[in-house]
Each structure stands twice: as C-alpha cells, then as structure tokens.
Amino acid sequence: MVVVASPNSMIGEKILPIDLPMIDLSAERSMVMKRIVKACEEYGFFNVINHGVPYDIISKMEEVGFDFFAKPMEQKKLVALDKPFGYGCKNIGFNGDMGEVEYLLLNANVPSIPNDSSNFSSIVRAYTEAVKELACEILVLMAEGLGVPNTSIFTTFITQLDNDSILRFNHYPPKNSKDRDNSHSYNVAFGEHSDPQILTILRSNAVPGLQISLQHGVWNPVVPDPSAFCVNVGDLLQVMTNGRFVSVRHRAVTNSYKCRMSVAYFVAPPLDACIVAPSVMVTPNRPSLLFKPFTWEEYKKVTYSLRLGDTRIHLFRNCTQLE
Ligand SMILES: C=C1C[C@]23C[C@@]1(O)CC[C@H]2[C@@]12CC[C@H](O)[C@@](C)(C(=O)O1)[C@H]2[C@@H]3C(=O)O
Ligand SMILES: O=C(O)CCC(=O)C(=O)O
Ligand SMILES: [Fe+2]
C-alpha cells in the first residue's frame, strides 16, 4: 500500500491517498485468483484492467449518461419508474439522506427509461450485459480462489432471471463556485456507507471523488482510472465468505472543477435467495458461522429502513458467536 499524507482533510478526519490493487484479468489465472482474494481481504476494493468490456460501449455509456443529466430538470423528473427506481436529485434513499448528487437508478434486468427518444436504453442494455459478464467472471475467480468446491456458488444468484441487481448513474456537480478558492476543501456528495449487495462494479470518468475508509476516521481517496472498473465487496459477500472478505465503507466527494459521473452495477440475488456461508468458509480461523442465514429480502428490508450511513450487517450476526 502506498500512503502519502495530504492536507485535504475535514476536522477530525485524516486523508491518506491510496493505490488500490490493480488486477490484470488477462494475467495467469491462478495468480489473478490469489490477487483478487488478497485484495478482498485487505481492501474490499480493487481495480480490474483487461476486463473485456469493449471501450466503445463504455464511452457511449458515458456519453448517454452526460446527455441525460444535461437535460432540463422537468424532463429528468419525468422518468417515472416504480420505487426505488428513477431519477433523483439530492435525496438519497427514503430516510432523509441528502447529497450533492443527482442519479438515475434502474432495474439491471430492464435497464431502460420510458419515452426514450434517443438510443439511451439500447446502450445501457449493452453496457449492463457486458458488465454482468464481467461480474460473473470475477465471482467465479473469487470462488476458485477461496477453494469453494462449487465455483458457480456466487454466480448462480445473478444468472437467475429474478436476480435483483441494479444499475445506478451518479452525477456530481463540481464544487460550488464560492468554495473554489479553498482548494483544500471538499463536500461530501454521497455520504459514507457500505453497499448491501454481493458485489459492486463501478466505473467513473477521470475525475476523482471516491474515497474508502480502511480505518475509522481515515479516508483513502482512490485515483480514478476510466480504463478500469473499480470492484468492491458488498455486505452479502462478507457474509458468504464468513467475514473473510470485507465490505468496506466508502463515500464520494466533490472537490474539483469538473463534473464527475460514476456508473455502479450492484450485483444482487433474487429476493428469496438464502444468504449463508458455505461450509468450506468455516475454518480453524473462523470456527463457526459469523452470521445467521437470512434472505436477501430480509436484508434489503432492513437496509431500506435505515439511513445511508447506518451499519446493518451486525444485526445479522450469530449470537452464539464468542469473540
Ligand atoms: C439511505 C439509503 C439509500 C440506499 C438505501 C438506504 O436506505 C441505505 C443504503 C443505500 C444504498 C447504498 C448503495 C447503493 O447506492 C444503493 C442503491 C443501495 O442498494 O443501498 C443505496 C440505496 C438507495 O439509494 O436507494
Ligand atoms: O460515485 C461513487 O464513486 C460512489 C457511489 C456509490 O458508492 C454508490 O452509488 O453506492
Ligand atoms: Fe456505494
């Protein structure tokens, strides 16, 4: 880990820039598996390159995303989809969280918007299909790397037609003009949280903003790499690895003169999927199941009843666990 101290911090917070593990998916398979497992244990985050998602699809996705957010507010608000999907501005979730962000949340199985007069929906569909394939590849590598006998244990969730995966565009305005004279300040635009699902595959333009917290009170800005995907472990994968992989808290800040856009694909199982670690994850280091089995529906319900920054995973810990 390369750590350089930086003065850009809020009171009581330390900022330590970090180099996330960069994993080349075209490298030798057993090495890729080992590096992914290590990254998920130590950082909960890693970048992948040579990921197989065509550049053409990625750049078109960026273009249609920016075009969408450039539309007049009245038009964006017309994207009426069933809750929680659709367009949102400043409000995050339903429990009072706010941020300097506008977003478009879509069902990844039907990633389209109504009354689409452009080719938005077809590009978003192509992107989602390609990123889903990448997610499957990574999940198989993880299972193999962990020595789980059934290497499709994680992928079976998303290959099911009723998987609950979602796609989210986040659009962050540049820092407010009156704040620009203070180049060392930043605004938290998407507050700290962990992702509740299995895995998140995020791509952003070249503007920095994502920060992860590997230690309480310390924020590690992630250097954006538009040619890579930034992958992170979600709460469900922490449970399914019996705590071996970590679902790390992160946030997004606005601190530049440029707009930032990120697109996150959240890999989630069907609502009735039972979330439990396979027996191979119970080892001398972790001699019993850390979490009780639960369904994604139960976990999702709790997640949506809480605030963005609330932790939820501890509510599912096994009480019999002695630590
Ligand atoms: C405040 C909230 C927004 C959120 C649902 C929640 O009640 C708590 C978790 C939030 C989060 C974080 C990761 C993803 O961006 C997200 C889509 C998710 O699955 O959980 C959001 C939810 C949201 O914005 O709807
Ligand atoms: O925009 C980002 O970099 C992070 C967004 C995020 O964490 C989320 O959408 O859950
Ligand atoms: Fe997130």
Side-chain angles (χ1 to χ4, degrees), residues 5-283:
S6 143
N8 301 14
S9 60
M10 279 184 177
I11 297 158
E13 280 183 1
K14 215 167 163 187
I15 301 287
L16 292 175
I18 194 178
D19 279 335
L20 282 186
M22 179 64 84
I23 295 175
D24 179 349
L25 287 183
S26 67
E28 197 264 318
R29 193 173 175 84
S30 68
M31 195 178 81
V32 174
M33 279 163 15
K34 278 192 203 125
R35 292 204 63 213
I36 289 182
V37 169
K38 191 165 185 276
C40 293
E41 290 173 331
E42 291 179 3
Y43 298 82
F45 270 81
F46 59 92
N47 279 318
V48 287
I49 50 167
N50 288 321
H51 41 65
V53 179
Y55 174 73
D56 175 49
I57 294 183
I58 295 173
S59 69
K60 281 187 183 145
M61 184 73 170
E62 185 169 321
E63 196 181 311
V64 294
F66 274 122
D67 286 351
F68 174 81
F69 289 112
K71 287 182 183 180
M73 184 60 83
E74 311 80 69
Q75 229 172 304
K76 290 185 276 192
K77 283 188 171 161
L78 287 179
V79 178
L81 296 166
D82 290 344
K83 268 184 171 184
F85 301 118
Y87 172 77
C89 184
K90 298 204 168 145
N91 64 298
I92 302 173
F94 309 108
N95 305 318
D97 289 286
M98 303 290 287
E100 281 302 307
V101 60
E102 55 176 342
Y103 61 86
L104 180 63
L105 203 57
L106 300 173
N107 176 339
N109 299 312
V110 201
S112 55
I113 52 172
N115 309 316
D116 177 15
S117 53
S118 65
N119 49 1
F120 179 92
S121 299
S122 63
I123 288 166
V124 176
R125 259 196 303 276
Y127 178 89
T128 310
E129 269 167 36
V131 173
K132 181 178 176 178
E133 241 178 74
L134 171 64
C136 286
E137 187 183 344
I138 293 171
L139 288 169
V140 169
L141 286 161
M142 285 176 171
E144 279 182 40
L146 287 165
V148 180
N150 172 9
T151 55
S152 51
I153 186 156
F154 305 132
T155 37
T156 45
F157 288 130
I158 44 168
T159 49
Q160 289 178 44
L161 291 178
D162 55 349
N163 74 77
D164 197 33
S165 304
I166 55 181
L167 187 79
R168 175 181 200 127
F169 288 81
N170 292 309
H171 183 240
Y172 303 94
K175 206 169 69 175
N176 203 309
S177 57
K178 66 176 183 328
D179 293 339
R180 282 189 187 161
D181 44 342
N182 181 359
S183 60
H184 288 330
S185 77
Y186 53 75
N187 302 325
V188 176
F190 198 124
E192 69 172 286
H193 64 281
S194 67
D195 291 343
Q197 294 85 358
I198 298 176
L199 200 71
T200 307
I201 310 236
L202 182 120
R203 194 254 167 200
S204 82
N205 63 341
V207 177
L210 177 65
Q211 301 187 338
I212 72 172
S213 179
L214 295 171
Q215 206 189 317
H216 184 70
V218 181
W219 285 97
N220 309 111
V222 169
V223 180
D225 182 345
S227 67
F229 283 94
C230 181
V231 180
N232 69 279
V233 173
D235 297 349
L236 298 189
L237 194 54
Q238 178 166 337
V239 172
M240 290 191 286
T241 56
N242 207 20
R244 192 161 156 193
F245 287 3
V246 282
S247 173
V248 166
R249 288 167 81 77
H250 53 282
R251 67 183 187 184
V253 301
T254 49
N255 58 359
S256 97
Y257 291 80
K258 290 191 189 140
C259 281
R260 175 165 184 268
M261 192 175 66
S262 67
V263 180
Y265 175 69
F266 299 95
V267 175
L271 287 173
D272 61 2
C274 178
I275 309 302
V276 64
S279 54
V280 68
M281 298 313 304
V282 177
T283 59

